[in-house]
């Protein structure tokens, strides 16, 4: 198993639209396995292939408390959206940021399993929110796209500050690593 690198906003690769999986084979099974492992290590409850720079329509989810009820959804598709529900969301691609997003309360969706079975289901609750969030990823969309312009602006400033901070600490590390005899 391999832990994959999760892309972070504003990486432009998060904006790509993933292509449908044509054939479910061992390569797809391995991708799904690595995605699950990555999701568990990173502490997420869902992960879309787009987030690990694999542009295929694959999603993994596990909302169970004991992290032993994983779901792999190949070519997931929303067939019906009903009602409204607001809840707080976060995302492995937008670290340390949470905000309230409005989504459909009930969804009907379809997908193919790793065993090549076609599934069609109606659900609500956390799983419904999670599936909407992950399918958005496959379409190049992030939960922060739903925020008001003011909130988005604040988030961008926060990310900008974090980047400057990171760069500064990197620079000082380099200075520390310079061998002393180079200082004249
Ligand atoms: Ni996400």
């Amino acid at each position: 198993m391999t832990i994959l690198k999760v892309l972070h906003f504003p990486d432009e690769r998060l904006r790509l639209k993933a292509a449908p999986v044509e054939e479910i084979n061992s390569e797809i099974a391995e991708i799904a396995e690595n995605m699950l492992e990555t999701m568990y290590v990173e502490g997420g409850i869902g992960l879309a292939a787009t987030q690990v720079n694999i542009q295929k329509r694959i999603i993994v989810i596990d909302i169970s408390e004991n992290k032993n009820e994983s779901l792999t959804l190949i070519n997931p598709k929303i067939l019906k959206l009903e009602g409204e529900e607001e809840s707080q969301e976060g995302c492995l691609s937008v670290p340390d940021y949470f905000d309230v997003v409005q989504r459909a309360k009930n969804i009907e969706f379809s997908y193919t399993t790793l065993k090549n079975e076609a599934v069609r289901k109606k659900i609500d609750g956390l799983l419904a929110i999670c599936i909407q969030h992950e399918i958005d990823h496959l379409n190049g969309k992030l939960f922060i796209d739903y925020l008001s312009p003011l909130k988005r602006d604040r988030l961008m400033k926060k990310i900008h500050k974090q980047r400057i901070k990171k760069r500064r600490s990197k620079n000082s590390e380099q200075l520390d690593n310079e061998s002393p005899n180079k200082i004249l």
Side-chain angles (χ1 to χ4, degrees), residues 124-165:
D124 60 10
L126 179 59
L127 188 57
I129 288 165
C130 194
I131 286 172
Q132 291 174 76
H133 177 120
E134 303 309 335
I135 291 180
D136 269 355
H137 274 304
L138 299 180
N139 294 327
K141 194 163 182 172
L142 298 168
F143 84 101
I144 50 173
D145 298 349
Y146 295 101
L147 300 180
S148 68
L150 182 72
K151 278 189 173 177
R152 259 181 80 87
D153 195 44
R154 259 190 233 148
L155 171 63
M156 290 309 292
K157 279 184 186 144
K158 189 182 155 190
I159 288 170
H160 186 66
K161 265 190 208 159
Q162 280 172 345
R163 282 182 146 191
I164 290 174
K165 226 174 155 185

Short mmCIF file of all heavy atoms in Angstrom, two decimals, residues 124-165:
data_model
loop_
_atom_site.label_atom_id
_atom_site.label_comp_id
_atom_site.label_asym_id
_atom_site.label_seq_id
_atom_site.Cartn_x
_atom_site.Cartn_y
_atom_site.Cartn_z
N ASP A 124 -29.74 9.68 3.22
CA ASP A 124 -29.71 11.04 3.76
C ASP A 124 -28.62 11.09 4.83
O ASP A 124 -27.84 10.15 4.96
CB ASP A 124 -31.08 11.44 4.33
CG ASP A 124 -31.53 10.52 5.45
OD1 ASP A 124 -30.73 9.69 5.92
OD2 ASP A 124 -32.70 10.62 5.85
N GLY A 125 -28.56 12.18 5.57
CA GLY A 125 -27.60 12.30 6.65
C GLY A 125 -26.18 12.54 6.18
O GLY A 125 -25.95 13.00 5.05
N LEU A 126 -25.23 12.18 7.04
CA LEU A 126 -23.82 12.46 6.78
C LEU A 126 -23.32 11.83 5.48
O LEU A 126 -22.55 12.44 4.73
CB LEU A 126 -22.98 11.97 7.98
CG LEU A 126 -21.47 12.15 7.88
CD1 LEU A 126 -21.09 13.62 7.70
CD2 LEU A 126 -20.77 11.58 9.10
N LEU A 127 -23.77 10.61 5.21
CA LEU A 127 -23.32 9.93 4.00
C LEU A 127 -23.75 10.70 2.74
O LEU A 127 -22.99 10.83 1.78
CB LEU A 127 -23.84 8.48 3.97
CG LEU A 127 -23.30 7.60 2.85
CD1 LEU A 127 -21.78 7.52 2.88
CD2 LEU A 127 -23.89 6.20 2.92
N ALA A 128 -24.98 11.24 2.77
CA ALA A 128 -25.48 12.01 1.63
C ALA A 128 -24.64 13.27 1.42
O ALA A 128 -24.30 13.64 0.29
CB ALA A 128 -26.94 12.38 1.84
N ILE A 129 -24.27 13.90 2.52
CA ILE A 129 -23.44 15.12 2.43
C ILE A 129 -22.06 14.78 1.89
O ILE A 129 -21.52 15.44 1.01
CB ILE A 129 -23.34 15.79 3.83
CG1 ILE A 129 -24.69 16.42 4.17
CG2 ILE A 129 -22.24 16.84 3.87
CD1 ILE A 129 -24.86 16.79 5.61
N CYS A 130 -21.52 13.70 2.43
CA CYS A 130 -20.18 13.25 2.04
C CYS A 130 -20.13 12.93 0.53
O CYS A 130 -19.21 13.35 -0.17
CB CYS A 130 -19.81 12.04 2.87
SG CYS A 130 -18.10 11.62 2.80
N ILE A 131 -21.14 12.24 0.04
CA ILE A 131 -21.15 11.86 -1.38
C ILE A 131 -21.27 13.11 -2.27
O ILE A 131 -20.58 13.22 -3.28
CB ILE A 131 -22.25 10.82 -1.65
CG1 ILE A 131 -21.79 9.47 -1.07
CG2 ILE A 131 -22.54 10.68 -3.15
CD1 ILE A 131 -22.83 8.39 -1.08
N GLN A 132 -22.08 14.06 -1.86
CA GLN A 132 -22.18 15.30 -2.64
C GLN A 132 -20.84 16.04 -2.66
O GLN A 132 -20.40 16.53 -3.70
CB GLN A 132 -23.27 16.21 -2.05
CG GLN A 132 -24.68 15.66 -2.26
CD GLN A 132 -25.74 16.51 -1.53
OE1 GLN A 132 -26.08 17.59 -1.98
NE2 GLN A 132 -26.24 16.01 -0.41
N HIS A 133 -20.18 16.08 -1.51
CA HIS A 133 -18.87 16.75 -1.39
C HIS A 133 -17.83 16.07 -2.30
O HIS A 133 -17.10 16.73 -3.03
CB HIS A 133 -18.44 16.71 0.09
CG HIS A 133 -17.10 17.30 0.38
ND1 HIS A 133 -16.92 18.37 1.23
CD2 HIS A 133 -15.85 16.97 -0.04
CE1 HIS A 133 -15.62 18.66 1.31
NE2 HIS A 133 -14.95 17.82 0.56
N GLU A 134 -17.81 14.73 -2.25
CA GLU A 134 -16.79 13.99 -3.03
C GLU A 134 -17.07 14.04 -4.54
O GLU A 134 -16.13 14.13 -5.33
CB GLU A 134 -16.68 12.53 -2.56
CG GLU A 134 -16.37 12.32 -1.08
CD GLU A 134 -15.16 13.09 -0.57
OE1 GLU A 134 -14.27 13.43 -1.37
OE2 GLU A 134 -15.13 13.37 0.63
N ILE A 135 -18.32 13.97 -4.92
CA ILE A 135 -18.63 14.05 -6.36
C ILE A 135 -18.27 15.45 -6.88
O ILE A 135 -17.78 15.59 -8.00
CB ILE A 135 -20.09 13.66 -6.66
CG1 ILE A 135 -20.28 12.14 -6.40
CG2 ILE A 135 -20.48 13.99 -8.12
CD1 ILE A 135 -21.68 11.61 -6.66
N ASP A 136 -18.48 16.45 -6.06
CA ASP A 136 -18.02 17.80 -6.42
C ASP A 136 -16.53 17.78 -6.77
O ASP A 136 -16.10 18.38 -7.76
CB ASP A 136 -18.25 18.78 -5.26
CG ASP A 136 -19.61 19.46 -5.31
OD1 ASP A 136 -20.34 19.25 -6.29
OD2 ASP A 136 -19.93 20.22 -4.37
N HIS A 137 -15.72 17.10 -5.94
CA HIS A 137 -14.28 17.02 -6.20
C HIS A 137 -14.01 16.48 -7.60
O HIS A 137 -13.16 16.98 -8.32
CB HIS A 137 -13.59 16.09 -5.19
CG HIS A 137 -13.18 16.75 -3.92
ND1 HIS A 137 -12.36 17.86 -3.88
CD2 HIS A 137 -13.45 16.46 -2.63
CE1 HIS A 137 -12.15 18.21 -2.61
NE2 HIS A 137 -12.81 17.38 -1.83
N LEU A 138 -14.74 15.43 -7.97
CA LEU A 138 -14.52 14.81 -9.29
C LEU A 138 -14.86 15.78 -10.42
O LEU A 138 -14.40 15.61 -11.54
CB LEU A 138 -15.35 13.52 -9.43
CG LEU A 138 -15.07 12.39 -8.43
CD1 LEU A 138 -15.96 11.20 -8.72
CD2 LEU A 138 -13.60 11.96 -8.47
N ASN A 139 -15.67 16.78 -10.09
CA ASN A 139 -16.03 17.79 -11.09
C ASN A 139 -15.21 19.07 -10.94
O ASN A 139 -15.52 20.11 -11.53
CB ASN A 139 -17.53 18.12 -10.98
CG ASN A 139 -18.37 16.92 -11.36
OD1 ASN A 139 -17.99 16.13 -12.23
ND2 ASN A 139 -19.51 16.76 -10.72
N GLY A 140 -14.17 19.01 -10.12
CA GLY A 140 -13.28 20.17 -9.95
C GLY A 140 -13.83 21.23 -9.02
O GLY A 140 -13.40 22.38 -9.07
N LYS A 141 -14.77 20.84 -8.18
CA LYS A 141 -15.40 21.82 -7.30
C LYS A 141 -15.05 21.56 -5.83
O LYS A 141 -14.99 20.41 -5.40
CB LYS A 141 -16.92 21.75 -7.50
CG LYS A 141 -17.64 22.92 -6.91
CD LYS A 141 -19.05 23.02 -7.47
CE LYS A 141 -19.71 24.25 -6.89
NZ LYS A 141 -20.97 24.57 -7.45
N LEU A 142 -14.84 22.63 -5.07
CA LEU A 142 -14.49 22.51 -3.65
C LEU A 142 -15.59 23.11 -2.78
O LEU A 142 -16.32 23.99 -3.24
CB LEU A 142 -13.19 23.26 -3.38
CG LEU A 142 -11.96 22.74 -4.11
CD1 LEU A 142 -10.81 23.73 -4.00
CD2 LEU A 142 -11.53 21.39 -3.56
N PHE A 143 -15.68 22.67 -1.53
CA PHE A 143 -16.76 23.18 -0.67
C PHE A 143 -16.65 24.68 -0.43
O PHE A 143 -17.65 25.35 -0.22
CB PHE A 143 -16.84 22.39 0.65
CG PHE A 143 -15.91 22.83 1.75
CD1 PHE A 143 -16.38 23.62 2.80
CD2 PHE A 143 -14.59 22.46 1.75
CE1 PHE A 143 -15.53 24.04 3.82
CE2 PHE A 143 -13.74 22.86 2.77
CZ PHE A 143 -14.20 23.65 3.81
N ILE A 144 -15.43 25.20 -0.51
CA ILE A 144 -15.27 26.64 -0.29
C ILE A 144 -15.82 27.47 -1.45
O ILE A 144 -16.00 28.67 -1.32
CB ILE A 144 -13.78 27.00 -0.03
CG1 ILE A 144 -12.90 26.39 -1.11
CG2 ILE A 144 -13.35 26.52 1.35
CD1 ILE A 144 -11.46 26.85 -1.03
N ASP A 145 -16.12 26.81 -2.58
CA ASP A 145 -16.75 27.54 -3.69
C ASP A 145 -18.15 28.02 -3.32
O ASP A 145 -18.70 28.90 -3.97
CB ASP A 145 -16.85 26.64 -4.94
CG ASP A 145 -15.49 26.20 -5.44
OD1 ASP A 145 -14.49 26.75 -4.97
OD2 ASP A 145 -15.44 25.31 -6.31
N TYR A 146 -18.74 27.40 -2.29
CA TYR A 146 -20.10 27.77 -1.88
C TYR A 146 -20.12 28.95 -0.90
O TYR A 146 -21.18 29.44 -0.54
CB TYR A 146 -20.80 26.56 -1.20
CG TYR A 146 -21.03 25.38 -2.12
CD1 TYR A 146 -20.20 24.27 -2.09
CD2 TYR A 146 -22.09 25.39 -3.02
CE1 TYR A 146 -20.43 23.18 -2.92
CE2 TYR A 146 -22.32 24.32 -3.86
CZ TYR A 146 -21.49 23.22 -3.81
OH TYR A 146 -21.71 22.15 -4.64
N LEU A 147 -18.94 29.36 -0.43
CA LEU A 147 -18.89 30.43 0.56
C LEU A 147 -19.22 31.78 -0.05
O LEU A 147 -19.07 31.99 -1.25
CB LEU A 147 -17.48 30.51 1.18
CG LEU A 147 -16.97 29.27 1.90
CD1 LEU A 147 -15.57 29.54 2.45
CD2 LEU A 147 -17.91 28.86 3.02
N SER A 148 -19.64 32.71 0.79
CA SER A 148 -19.91 34.07 0.34
C SER A 148 -18.58 34.71 -0.08
O SER A 148 -17.52 34.30 0.41
CB SER A 148 -20.54 34.88 1.46
OG SER A 148 -19.58 35.07 2.49
N PRO A 149 -18.61 35.71 -0.96
CA PRO A 149 -17.36 36.36 -1.40
C PRO A 149 -16.54 36.88 -0.22
O PRO A 149 -15.32 36.77 -0.22
CB PRO A 149 -17.86 37.53 -2.26
CG PRO A 149 -19.20 37.12 -2.75
CD PRO A 149 -19.79 36.26 -1.66
N LEU A 150 -17.23 37.38 0.81
CA LEU A 150 -16.52 37.91 1.98
C LEU A 150 -15.74 36.81 2.70
O LEU A 150 -14.57 36.95 3.03
CB LEU A 150 -17.55 38.54 2.94
CG LEU A 150 -16.95 39.18 4.18
CD1 LEU A 150 -16.23 40.47 3.85
CD2 LEU A 150 -18.02 39.43 5.24
N LYS A 151 -16.40 35.67 2.91
CA LYS A 151 -15.74 34.55 3.59
C LYS A 151 -14.59 33.98 2.75
O LYS A 151 -13.56 33.61 3.28
CB LYS A 151 -16.76 33.44 3.87
CG LYS A 151 -17.56 33.70 5.12
CD LYS A 151 -18.38 32.47 5.46
CE LYS A 151 -19.06 32.64 6.80
NZ LYS A 151 -19.91 31.47 7.11
N ARG A 152 -14.81 33.93 1.45
CA ARG A 152 -13.76 33.42 0.56
C ARG A 152 -12.54 34.31 0.61
O ARG A 152 -11.41 33.85 0.63
CB ARG A 152 -14.28 33.37 -0.88
CG ARG A 152 -14.69 31.99 -1.31
CD ARG A 152 -15.18 32.03 -2.74
NE ARG A 152 -14.06 32.04 -3.68
CZ ARG A 152 -13.50 30.93 -4.13
NH1 ARG A 152 -13.94 29.76 -3.76
NH2 ARG A 152 -12.50 30.99 -4.98
N ASP A 153 -12.80 35.62 0.64
CA ASP A 153 -11.74 36.61 0.70
C ASP A 153 -10.92 36.41 1.98
O ASP A 153 -9.69 36.42 1.95
CB ASP A 153 -12.39 37.99 0.66
CG ASP A 153 -11.36 39.06 0.34
OD1 ASP A 153 -10.54 38.81 -0.56
OD2 ASP A 153 -11.37 40.12 1.01
N ARG A 154 -11.63 36.21 3.08
CA ARG A 154 -10.96 35.99 4.37
C ARG A 154 -10.11 34.72 4.33
O ARG A 154 -9.00 34.69 4.83
CB ARG A 154 -12.00 35.86 5.48
CG ARG A 154 -12.15 37.13 6.27
CD ARG A 154 -13.01 36.86 7.49
NE ARG A 154 -14.08 37.82 7.53
CZ ARG A 154 -15.29 37.57 8.03
NH1 ARG A 154 -15.59 36.38 8.49
NH2 ARG A 154 -16.21 38.50 8.05
N LEU A 155 -10.66 33.68 3.74
CA LEU A 155 -9.93 32.42 3.64
C LEU A 155 -8.67 32.59 2.79
O LEU A 155 -7.60 32.09 3.15
CB LEU A 155 -10.85 31.34 3.01
CG LEU A 155 -10.18 30.02 2.65
CD1 LEU A 155 -9.63 29.31 3.89
CD2 LEU A 155 -11.14 29.09 1.93
N MET A 156 -8.78 33.30 1.68
CA MET A 156 -7.62 33.50 0.80
C MET A 156 -6.51 34.25 1.54
O MET A 156 -5.34 33.93 1.40
CB MET A 156 -8.03 34.30 -0.46
CG MET A 156 -8.92 33.55 -1.43
SD MET A 156 -8.30 31.93 -1.91
CE MET A 156 -6.85 32.40 -2.86
N LYS A 157 -6.91 35.25 2.33
CA LYS A 157 -5.91 36.01 3.11
C LYS A 157 -5.22 35.10 4.13
O LYS A 157 -4.01 35.18 4.32
CB LYS A 157 -6.59 37.18 3.82
CG LYS A 157 -6.79 38.36 2.88
CD LYS A 157 -7.37 39.55 3.59
CE LYS A 157 -7.68 40.64 2.57
NZ LYS A 157 -8.90 41.37 2.90
N LYS A 158 -6.02 34.24 4.76
CA LYS A 158 -5.47 33.31 5.76
C LYS A 158 -4.44 32.37 5.09
O LYS A 158 -3.36 32.15 5.62
CB LYS A 158 -6.62 32.52 6.37
CG LYS A 158 -6.22 31.67 7.56
CD LYS A 158 -7.40 30.88 8.10
CE LYS A 158 -6.91 29.64 8.83
NZ LYS A 158 -7.98 28.73 9.17
N ILE A 159 -4.80 31.84 3.93
CA ILE A 159 -3.91 30.92 3.23
C ILE A 159 -2.64 31.64 2.78
O ILE A 159 -1.54 31.11 2.89
CB ILE A 159 -4.64 30.26 2.03
CG1 ILE A 159 -5.66 29.25 2.58
CG2 ILE A 159 -3.67 29.58 1.08
CD1 ILE A 159 -6.60 28.70 1.55
N HIS A 160 -2.80 32.86 2.33
CA HIS A 160 -1.66 33.67 1.90
C HIS A 160 -0.68 33.86 3.06
O HIS A 160 0.52 33.68 2.92
CB HIS A 160 -2.17 35.02 1.37
CG HIS A 160 -1.09 35.85 0.78
ND1 HIS A 160 -0.44 35.49 -0.37
CD2 HIS A 160 -0.56 37.03 1.17
CE1 HIS A 160 0.47 36.42 -0.65
NE2 HIS A 160 0.40 37.36 0.26
N LYS A 161 -1.23 34.19 4.22
CA LYS A 161 -0.40 34.39 5.42
C LYS A 161 0.34 33.11 5.79
O LYS A 161 1.51 33.14 6.13
CB LYS A 161 -1.29 34.81 6.60
CG LYS A 161 -1.36 36.30 6.78
CD LYS A 161 -2.06 36.61 8.11
CE LYS A 161 -2.75 37.95 8.05
NZ LYS A 161 -3.80 38.06 9.06
N GLN A 162 -0.38 31.99 5.75
CA GLN A 162 0.23 30.69 6.09
C GLN A 162 1.41 30.38 5.17
O GLN A 162 2.43 29.87 5.59
CB GLN A 162 -0.80 29.57 5.99
CG GLN A 162 -1.71 29.47 7.19
CD GLN A 162 -2.84 28.49 6.99
OE1 GLN A 162 -3.12 28.08 5.86
NE2 GLN A 162 -3.52 28.13 8.05
N ARG A 163 1.23 30.73 3.89
CA ARG A 163 2.28 30.45 2.90
C ARG A 163 3.52 31.27 3.19
O ARG A 163 4.64 30.77 3.11
CB ARG A 163 1.78 30.77 1.50
CG ARG A 163 0.88 29.70 0.95
CD ARG A 163 0.50 30.09 -0.44
NE ARG A 163 0.36 28.92 -1.28
CZ ARG A 163 0.24 28.98 -2.60
NH1 ARG A 163 0.25 30.15 -3.21
NH2 ARG A 163 0.10 27.89 -3.30
N ILE A 164 3.32 32.56 3.52
CA ILE A 164 4.45 33.43 3.83
C ILE A 164 5.19 32.89 5.05
O ILE A 164 6.41 32.79 5.07
CB ILE A 164 3.98 34.88 4.05
CG1 ILE A 164 3.51 35.46 2.72
CG2 ILE A 164 5.08 35.73 4.67
CD1 ILE A 164 2.88 36.82 2.83
N LYS A 165 4.41 32.48 6.04
CA LYS A 165 4.98 31.94 7.27
C LYS A 165 5.85 30.71 6.98
O LYS A 165 6.95 30.56 7.48
CB LYS A 165 3.84 31.55 8.22
CG LYS A 165 4.03 32.01 9.64
CD LYS A 165 2.76 31.68 10.38
CE LYS A 165 2.96 31.51 11.85
NZ LYS A 165 1.69 31.08 12.46
#
